[in-house]
Amino acid sequence: MGLAVAILGASGYAGGELVRILDEHPSVEVTYLGAYTQAGSSLGEVHPHLPGPSRVLAPIDVDRLTGAEVAFLALPHGSSWQAGHRLAEAGVAVFDLGSDYRMDTPQRYEFAYGAPHPLPDELDAWVYGLPELFGAALPGSGRVAVPGCYPTSALLGLGPLLAAGLIEGPVVVDSMSGVTGAGRGLKAGLTFGAVDESVKAYGIATHRHRPEIEMGLEAIGGAPVTVQFTPHLVPMQRGILSTCSAGLVEAGRIGDALRDAYARAPFVDVLDQPPQTRWVVGSNRALIHASEDHHTGRAIVTVAIDNLGKGAAGQAVQCANLALGFPETAGLTTAGWLP
C-alpha cells in the first residue's frame, strides 16, 4: 500500500482527472473522495468513464479525513483556504489546485480577487508549484499552490527567455481555452448552443490570472513586468493554446535558450513548428515553439497544454512527486490523444 490520498472536489473535471491519474500511481492509494453537491453519489454516477464506479463520494469534511497523508484540493476559488490550512497544520501534505494560496503577497491577492485574503500571513508558507521553473522549492514541501492553467502556459513559454535576458516587457499573452477550463457547473454561457461555432474573448484587462503571470515573471526576472492578457473561450472540450509576445532584446538565441532550459524537463518539448492542442490532450505535456518577428522587434512564443493535465491535475501530481520524493514522472504520461 502507498500513501493514503484524499481528493476534495472529486466530482469536478480536475477532480476526475486526479482520480484517473492517482488510481494508476504506483506509490499512493486514493482513500477518500470528497464532494459538495454530489456527496452521496457513486463515482460511476459522476464520472462513468473511471474504474471503481461503486466508490461513494463523501462530504468535504476535514474532520473525516483520518489517516490521510496527502490531500489534493480541486475546489472553486475561496473554498480551499480553510481546508488547506487545517490539513497542513495537521501534518498532511496539501496540493491545492485552487487559487487561494497562489499569490505571494496579500496586496497582489486583493488586486487579483477584489477582497482581502482570509489568512494573509500564511501566503509565504506556500510554494508556487511550477516544477520546471520553481522546482527547487518543492522537495519536502507540505504546502503547494498549483499554478493556474493560463499562467502555466505563459510562464513556461516566456520564463527561460526572461531569465536569459533575451526579452523585455511589456508582454502580451493571448490564450484560447476549451470549455472545461470554466469548471463543471451549469452556466448559460457554457451550454452547447452558446459555445458551438463561436469564439469569444472574456475578462479583458481584468482576468485574475494576469497578476499571477506578472508575479511569476517578476520572480524569474527580478523586476516587475507589465502583462496584457486576453483569454478566449473556444468550442472544444479541453486544451490551451497561448501566443505570447515580448520585446526582443537579442536576436537568434531564443529557440536555443528554450531548448537548453528544458533539456532535462520530461514534460516539456520545444518544437520546430507551432504546436496544436490536440497533441497534448490527455497528457501532462507542454509543447513550445518560438519565432522572431524582426519587423516588430518582438519574440513570439506559442505554448500548448491540456488545461486539465499540465494546467491542473497532472501538474499537481508532478508537484507531489517532487515534494514527496517520488520519480517526477510517476503516474503521468507524455502521450496525448490523437485522433
Side-chain angles (χ1 to χ4, degrees):
M1 295 178 62
L3 294 179
V5 169
I7 300 172
L8 302 187
S11 62
Y13 290 132
E17 280 293 283
L18 283 169
V19 177
R20 183 179 70 85
I21 294 169
L22 293 171
D23 273 350
E24 299 297 322
H25 197 289
S27 301
V28 305
E29 180 182 1
V30 177
T31 60
Y32 192 96
L33 299 176
Y36 282 123
T37 59
Q38 296 291 341
S41 301
S42 70
L43 183 66
E45 291 175 295
V46 178
H47 296 298
H49 62 296
L50 295 177
S54 62
R55 287 178 284 180
V56 176
L57 303 186
I60 294 179
D61 183 352
V62 172
D63 293 329
R64 298 180 61 166
L65 268 64
T66 57
E69 300 167 275
V70 182
F72 291 86
L73 310 184
L75 302 172
H77 172 69
S79 300
S80 60
W81 66 268
Q82 188 173 38
H85 168 73
R86 291 184 59 193
L87 288 166
E89 288 292 297
V92 177
V94 181
F95 301 88
D96 183 13
L97 282 69
S99 52
D100 291 7
Y101 288 106
R102 287 177 187 159
M103 297 304 178
D104 56 350
T105 66
Q107 295 78 17
R108 204 185 309 262
Y109 177 92
E110 187 166 356
F111 177 73
Y113 297 103
H117 195 279
L119 295 174
D121 294 337
E122 294 216 355
L123 287 175
D124 60 2
W126 290 74
V127 171
Y128 188 68
L130 185 48
E132 290 78 10
L133 300 178
F134 306 110
L138 283 169
S141 177
R143 304 177 193 227
V144 176
V146 181
C149 51
Y150 286 130
T152 293
S153 62
L155 294 175
L156 286 175
L158 297 171
L161 304 182
L162 187 65
L166 301 179
I167 60 171
E168 61 184 3
V171 167
V172 176
V173 179
D174 287 323
S175 298
M176 295 177 285
S177 175
V179 294
T180 55
R184 198 171 183 176
L186 181 59
K187 303 170 186 176
L190 298 179
T191 60
F192 181 83
V195 173
D196 189 45
E197 298 189 45
S198 181
V199 176
K200 70 174 182 180
Y202 66 98
I204 299 174
T206 62
H207 197 281
R208 64 191 188 186
H209 280 173
R210 177 170 68 174
E212 186 180 341
I213 297 170
E214 291 179 334
M215 177 190 74
L217 293 176
E218 181 178 327
I220 292 167
V225 178
T226 300
V227 174
Q228 177 183 302
F229 172 58
T230 308
H232 299 76
L233 182 68
V234 298
M236 62 184 185
Q237 291 288 345
R238 50 200 288 176
I240 282 178
L241 183 71
S242 289
T243 300
C244 316
S245 68
L248 184 62
V249 174
E250 183 176 348
R253 291 186 54 200
I254 60 174
D256 289 339
L258 287 168
R259 290 184 181 89
D260 290 345
Y262 296 125
R264 298 184 179 180
F267 297 110
V268 181
D269 288 308
V270 181
L271 306 182
D272 293 327
Q273 60 180 318
Q276 300 180 28
T277 57
R278 286 290 301 276
W279 301 347
V280 297
V281 167
S283 78
N284 195 51
R285 195 179 185 200
L287 299 179
I288 302 176
H289 174 263
S291 301
E292 297 179 1
D293 185 345
H294 299 291
H295 181 70
T296 61
R298 293 182 69 79
I300 302 174
V301 183
T302 54
V303 184
I305 64 171
D306 182 345
N307 58 291
L308 296 179
K310 185 61 175 163
Q315 181 144 267
V317 175
Q318 184 184 358
C319 288
N321 286 339
L322 292 171
L324 301 172
F326 301 140
E328 184 175 359
T329 58
L332 298 167
T333 179
T334 57
W337 300 336
L338 185 68

